[in-house]
Amino acid sequence: MDVRGNGNRAGKWFQVVVVLGMAVMLWGCGNGGDTASSTVSSTPQSNTVVSKGAFVSLAPSGDGGLVIQGNNMTGVAGIALTITYDSSVLAAPTITQGGLVAGAVMASNTLYPGTIKLAIVSNTALSGNGEIAAVSFATVAGAGNASLASVELIDSTGAPMP
């Protein structure tokens, strides 16, 4: 299909292709590994993944949930990440889209206890800092570990950001 001369159509095709690719990644990859070895600590773990000045961090929200925060996200148009958590303490996660990625397409996979996979793609590049998403758990039986197992950021051309 020839999309020259119509930037909106090309942008929509790009968005559809990226979303489909991320959906395949989310649902086709299983649970991402064994989570049975998670350990319980007195406070949820916070960590950060940096890519070309942009960074994503995970922090406790104070109510037993988690906040996925993006900083210096200028130029980022897609995010794919995996969070692991202690499924003996935390259960039934729910993901809520954050303000930084408002208007973007978001897909999440919470089917495998102990693992959350999240993919977000925007037709335009993000800018600045803010909440990417919030994670809440239906069951919180104490304080459990949670960490970012992987983060991939892509730019508006679909290229991975180093």
Side-chain angles (χ1 to χ4, degrees):
M1 171 179 233
D2 186 11
V3 294
R4 288 177 284 175
N6 191 339
N8 286 338
R9 183 176 286 161
K12 290 293 182 187
W13 275 108
F14 169 75
Q15 187 175 12
V16 168
V17 169
V18 171
V19 169
L20 290 175
M22 288 182 163
V24 167
M25 179 192 71
L26 283 173
W27 282 278
C29 292
N31 70 357
D34 179 23
T35 59
S37 62
S38 297
T39 58
V40 177
S41 69
S42 59
T43 58
Q45 182 177 346
S46 173
N47 58 18
T48 303
V49 176
V50 180
S51 175
K52 196 177 180 179
F55 66 96
V56 175
S57 61
L58 182 66
S61 64
D63 59 358
L66 304 167
V67 174
I68 305 165
Q69 180 76 21
N71 292 292
N72 301 322
M73 300 298 280
T74 302
V76 175
I79 304 166
L81 60 86
T82 302
I83 298 170
T84 56
Y85 64 91
D86 184 353
S87 61
S88 68
V89 178
L90 305 168
T94 302
I95 315 300
T96 305
Q97 192 167 4
L100 180 63
V101 295
V105 176
M106 183 175 89
S108 62
N109 182 349
T110 59
L111 295 176
Y112 300 98
T115 303
I116 298 168
K117 293 189 178 192
L118 180 65
I120 299 168
V121 65
S122 177
N123 204 20
T124 59
L126 304 176
S127 180
N129 310 318
E131 186 176 301
I132 294 170
V135 181
S136 59
F137 296 93
T139 304
V140 179
N145 277 342
S147 63
L148 286 169
S150 67
V151 174
E152 182 180 355
L153 303 177
I154 62 170
D155 65 20
S156 59
T157 67
M161 296 179 75

